[in-house]
Amino acid sequence: MTPERPASLSKSGRGPSMHDVAARAGVSHQTVSRVLNDFPGIRPETRERVLQAIRDLGYRRNMAARALATGRSEVIGVIMPEVPHFGPTSTLYAIEHAAKRVGFKPLITTASWEPSSMGQALDFLLARSVDALVVMAQHPDVLNAVEATTDVPVLYVLTGNSHAERSVAVDQVAGTRLALEHLYDLGHRRFQHITGIAGLTEAQLRRDTFLAFLEERGLERLPILEGDWSADAGYRAGLAVEEGVTALFCANDPMAMGAIHALEERGLTVPEDVSVVGFDDVPESGYAHPALTTVHQDFTEVGLRAVTALMEVINGREPGELEPVEPWLVVRDSTGPAPA
Amino acid sequence: MTPERPASLSKSGRGPSMHDVAARAGVSHQTVSRVLNDFPGIRPETRERVLQAIRDLGYRRNMAARALATGRSEVIGVIMPEVPHFGPTSTLYAIEHAAKRVGFKPLITTASWEPSSMGQALDFLLARSVDALVVMAQHPDVLNAVEATTDVPVLYVLTGNSHAERSVAVDQVAGTRLALEHLYDLGHRRFQHITGIAGLTEAQLRRDTFLAFLEERGLERLPILEGDWSADAGYRAGLAVEEGVTALFCANDPMAMGAIHALEERGLTVPEDVSVVGFDDVPESGYAHPALTTVHQDFTEVGLRAVTALMEVINGREPGELEPVEPWLVVRDSTGPAPA
DNA sequence: CCCCCTCATGTTGACGATAACATCGGGGCG
DNA sequence: CGCCCCGATGTTATCGTCAACATGAGGGGG
């Protein structure tokens, strides 16, 4: 029952091959291949003999050889940003889980959005004959860097919607509006915004939407506070929030936490003096002090849709329309009515 | 200069091969191989001609073929827990960065510690002929599941030290003692502990060390509060902290944040009434309320040592002694002198 | 009763690279 | 002047699998 350590193999070192299995089962290697690939028309008895030989020998398929013969590898290449932020990381896990269910695994590589870095990452993954590519396109330039290099199906993720043809993302505009409308409805009229890393698509979309919202409602446009996603930056920005501001929209939760820390150091209370909204709904945000009102992004859904769409393309079908994933607002204690 | 779309290749679909390059450069495919692999004794002029042909054709090596011929893939298999906690995730990024510098990429798969799950993950990775394996061994049973299945070098990570022969980890015992001694030195004598997920090595080590510490100092042993790493669980445990406890040691930062939230709801203040220490030093912990005293774990170093050691083994050298990575204590505002 | 067809299986040739061995001009040396 | 060796390159076999075609034993219909 337990795989015996194969005493002698056809060749040294490399573990048993189909030939070894075939010899042991008294069939041809092609029959072994057919059993392995679930071809119809194998006599049940033969199949059983082959499976037994496989078990006896502890045989494992050599996917390199298979990839060479078929041109497919059952691996999805994933290009990620180099810094472990919440969004990309969550999406990665989601992709892994979704891919696992269809027998694929992600091969990971990180890259900045510079063409040379992206180029290297692409070369590496394509050389491994990945069947598909997920590119976390934090920056619009990425799209140019990838385009037309290959005919492997490519899907962009985290583009914040509407940036590329083939892309899956949480609708950033909708999420930002949820946050801002919530604040507006509470009576707030003086807003400031702490941004994510300048230039990154999602940061840019949240910022643009923020400005558009001010415009639409005829609200005063105070200076934008530049952040970089980190709680540190949020803290520094929090120190720079203007007097009289009652509504602070932060581009992510860690910055919101940093900002709140700074505001309280300045003697302001949240939400009595200033209401703060974050973005992402990280697991801790419900236990921040005060519990954070924030925009929830369903990265699990993003990963799932990405993998589903790629499987469609791999199998030659046209993927359905790629809808943006809808975010929702989680109202907690960091927002309240505007002070009188 | 720019790679032209190859108009006609030797065969359809698959992109140019060494033969195509060789033909274009007017040499044999073996010479191309030698150029690609930096063999000595190629006339500079020939080398240049080959490189030019490669550029012209946009040639990319087929690693599947190379893996088949050489038995090596330049891929490291990584088995991770299924849930995206801070430690494993940080380590993954660290591994990716370290691996990239030596030309390797991680192939990721998640698994629980059940033998069947681990077995599947192993089969998958080994079938891809990974050159080495990093196993995040959150649970002691993992070690049995992996052992002796293969002769691929295996390194265990996050074992909390001393659990396996080949393992890299942050010294959990030392970290726990740093936290507890800090509290003790502040005058605290009534301790409670919120654990991580029961059974996981790191949670177990922190818990065991906590109990050992109480014993050594002759302190009263109050009930252990069972957690699961989540802020939620920390909150629930925080509600259950006994009256009169002044020192709360939490097995990670999110639980510490949850617990503080609960304590404050109960009208207790941190650190005046209760001092709280976390574990991990997640980037937000400096901006929690109050800023969290916590044990810093250097996962970057863990990843680096893991990859370095694996490269040694892959290249046939014996890796040096694997020292545990030393954690350090970051003292912030959530701890203070014991109340009188 | 023979032919043809089908099911179950075997045989041969890619796939794209590396490795081991073969070749082919020179140049140094006896 | 011929031999040997070496540096530069070409030729052939091999890795483990899949795909396409070949084979061969039965079974049904004319």
Side-chain angles (χ1 to χ4, degrees):
Chain A
M1 214 75 207
T2 57
E4 62 193 37
R5 216 95 217 56
S8 78
L9 304 170
S10 58
K11 287 287 170 181
S12 70
R14 320 248 276 195
S17 75
M18 274 194 180
H19 284 94
D20 301 299
V21 174
R24 172 144 190 148
V27 298
S28 80
H29 66 110
Q30 182 59 358
T31 300
V32 178
S33 171
R34 284 194 263 255
V35 169
L36 247 28
N37 292 308
D38 276 327
F39 271 60
I42 307 278
R43 219 184 320 162
E45 177 213 320
T46 309
R47 165 188 307 275
E48 194 41 58
R49 210 141 31 89
V50 169
L51 290 175
Q52 187 56 48
I54 288 178
R55 262 171 271 140
D56 291 346
L57 261 38
Y59 166 78
R60 238 184 306 254
R61 226 197 197 127
N62 181 329
M63 295 305 278
R66 182 187 165 92
L68 181 57
T70 61
R72 341 178 82 220
S73 60
E74 299 185 351
V75 167
I76 297 178
V78 179
I79 301 183
M80 304 196 53
E82 290 170 310
V83 191
H85 290 130
F86 181 73
T89 305
S90 306
T91 308
L92 172 61
Y93 274 87
I95 289 172
E96 199 280 340
H97 285 112
K100 175 187 266 191
R101 287 203 281 159
V102 287
F104 280 65
K105 288 274 173 292
L107 185 63
I108 309 292
T109 185
T110 61
S112 70
W113 64 78
E114 287 159 30
S116 77
S117 175
M118 283 298 296
Q120 276 188 283
L122 274 171
D123 279 347
F124 194 100
L125 294 178
L126 293 176
R128 258 91 188 149
S129 43
V130 294
D131 294 337
L133 225 38
V134 173
V135 180
M136 302 212 187
Q138 292 207 296
H139 193 284
D141 289 358
V142 167
L143 304 181
N144 312 323
V146 176
E147 221 48 74
T149 311
T150 170
D151 52 353
V152 166
V154 179
L155 199 76
Y156 300 94
V157 155
L158 305 182
T159 52
N161 184 17
S162 81
H163 241 276
E165 278 307 302
R166 286 274 170 74
S167 98
V168 177
V170 175
D171 189 333
Q172 299 300 312
V173 172
T176 303
R177 288 190 173 272
L178 284 173
L180 297 175
E181 272 155 20
H182 168 65
L183 292 166
Y184 191 90
D185 291 348
L186 286 167
H188 295 275
R189 294 298 179 267
R190 288 178 64 83
F191 288 70
Q192 266 193 302
H193 173 47
I194 306 180
T195 70
I197 294 176
L200 300 201
T201 311
E202 302 192 315
Q204 192 64 42
L205 282 171
R206 291 174 201 170
R207 174 200 186 117
D208 291 348
T209 306
F210 175 77
L211 292 175
F213 184 87
L214 294 189
E215 183 98 8
E216 285 166 25
R217 307 285 165 123
L219 301 175
E220 184 183 1
R221 178 169 163 174
L222 296 165
I224 291 284
L225 302 163
E226 302 285 345
D228 63 5
W229 304 130
S230 76
D232 259 9
Y235 176 78
R236 289 193 301 274
L239 295 177
V241 166
E242 307 260 320
E243 292 292 329
V245 164
T246 69
L248 182 61
F249 170 56
C250 305
N252 76 353
D253 286 350
M255 292 200 299
M257 291 174 61
I260 290 173
H261 209 90
L263 292 174
E264 304 214 318
E265 274 187 21
R266 292 170 59 185
L268 297 164
T269 51
V270 176
E272 287 74 9
D273 298 317
V274 184
S275 283
V276 177
V277 179
F279 216 108
D280 276 355
D281 194 22
V282 303
E284 292 77 42
S285 56
Y287 299 97
H289 176 92
L292 209 56
T293 294
T294 186
V295 178
H296 183 96
Q297 305 198 77
D298 191 349
F299 293 112
T300 303
E301 182 64 23
V302 170
L304 188 61
R305 289 197 198 176
V307 172
T308 306
L310 282 177
M311 290 303 132
E312 294 290 302
V313 180
I314 286 177
N315 295 321
R317 291 187 293 274
E318 204 45 34
E321 199 63 25
L322 291 172
E323 298 286 329
V325 176
E326 286 307 314
W328 62 84
L329 187 71
V330 180
V331 178
R332 300 205 185 91
D333 308 332
S334 68
T335 50
Chain B
M1 213 75 207
T2 56
E4 62 192 38
R5 217 89 216 63
S8 80
L9 303 170
S10 59
K11 288 286 171 181
S12 71
R14 320 247 279 193
S17 76
M18 273 196 179
H19 283 94
D20 301 299
V21 174
R24 172 148 190 144
V27 299
S28 79
H29 66 111
Q30 181 60 355
T31 300
V32 177
S33 172
R34 284 192 265 254
V35 168
L36 247 29
N37 292 308
D38 276 326
F39 272 60
I42 306 278
R43 218 182 322 159
E45 177 213 319
T46 310
R47 166 187 306 275
E48 194 41 56
R49 209 142 31 89
V50 169
L51 291 175
Q52 187 57 49
I54 288 178
R55 263 172 270 138
D56 291 347
L57 261 40
Y59 167 78
R60 237 185 306 254
R61 228 201 198 113
N62 181 329
M63 295 305 278
R66 182 186 164 94
L68 182 57
T70 61
R72 336 180 84 220
S73 61
E74 299 185 352
V75 167
I76 297 179
V78 178
I79 300 184
M80 305 195 54
E82 291 170 308
V83 191
H85 289 130
F86 181 72
T89 304
S90 307
T91 308
L92 171 62
Y93 273 86
I95 289 172
E96 198 279 341
H97 284 112
K100 173 187 269 192
R101 287 203 282 160
V102 289
F104 280 66
K105 288 276 173 291
L107 185 63
I108 310 292
T109 185
T110 61
S112 71
W113 64 80
E114 287 159 30
S116 75
S117 174
M118 284 298 296
Q120 276 188 281
L122 275 170
D123 279 348
F124 194 101
L125 293 178
L126 293 175
R128 259 93 191 148
S129 44
V130 295
D131 294 337
L133 225 38
V134 173
V135 180
M136 303 212 186
Q138 291 206 297
H139 193 283
D141 289 357
V142 168
L143 304 181
N144 312 323
V146 176
E147 222 48 76
T149 311
T150 171
D151 53 352
V152 166
V154 179
L155 199 77
Y156 300 94
V157 154
L158 306 181
T159 53
N161 186 16
S162 80
H163 241 275
E165 278 307 302
R166 288 273 170 74
S167 97
V168 178
V170 174
D171 189 333
Q172 298 300 312
V173 173
T176 303
R177 289 191 171 274
L178 284 173
L180 297 175
E181 273 155 19
H182 169 65
L183 291 166
Y184 191 90
D185 292 347
L186 286 167
H188 295 275
R189 293 298 179 267
R190 288 177 64 82
F191 288 69
Q192 267 193 301
H193 173 47
I194 306 178
T195 70
I197 293 176
L200 299 201
T201 312
E202 302 192 315
Q204 192 64 42
L205 283 170
R206 291 174 201 170
R207 173 198 185 119
D208 291 348
T209 307
F210 174 78
L211 291 175
F213 184 86
L214 294 188
E215 184 98 8
E216 284 166 26
R217 308 285 165 119
L219 300 175
E220 184 183 2
R221 177 168 162 175
L222 297 165
I224 292 283
L225 302 164
E226 303 286 346
D228 63 5
W229 304 129
S230 74
D232 258 8
Y235 175 79
R236 289 192 301 272
L239 296 176
V241 165
E242 307 259 321
E243 292 293 328
V245 165
T246 69
L248 182 62
F249 170 56
C250 306
N252 75 352
D253 286 351
M255 293 199 299
M257 291 173 61
I260 290 173
H261 209 90
L263 293 173
E264 305 214 317
E265 273 187 19
R266 292 171 57 185
L268 297 164
T269 51
V270 177
E272 286 74 9
D273 299 316
V274 185
S275 283
V276 177
V277 179
F279 216 108
D280 277 355
D281 195 21
V282 302
E284 292 77 42
S285 56
Y287 299 97
H289 175 91
L292 210 55
T293 294
T294 186
V295 178
H296 184 96
Q297 305 199 77
D298 191 348
F299 293 113
T300 303
E301 181 65 21
V302 171
L304 188 61
R305 289 197 197 177
V307 172
T308 307
L310 281 177
M311 289 303 132
E312 294 291 302
V313 180
I314 286 176
N315 296 321
R317 293 187 291 274
E318 206 43 35
E321 199 64 24
L322 291 172
E323 299 286 330
V325 175
E326 286 307 314
W328 62 85
L329 187 71
V330 180
V331 179
R332 298 205 184 91
D333 308 331
S334 67
T335 51

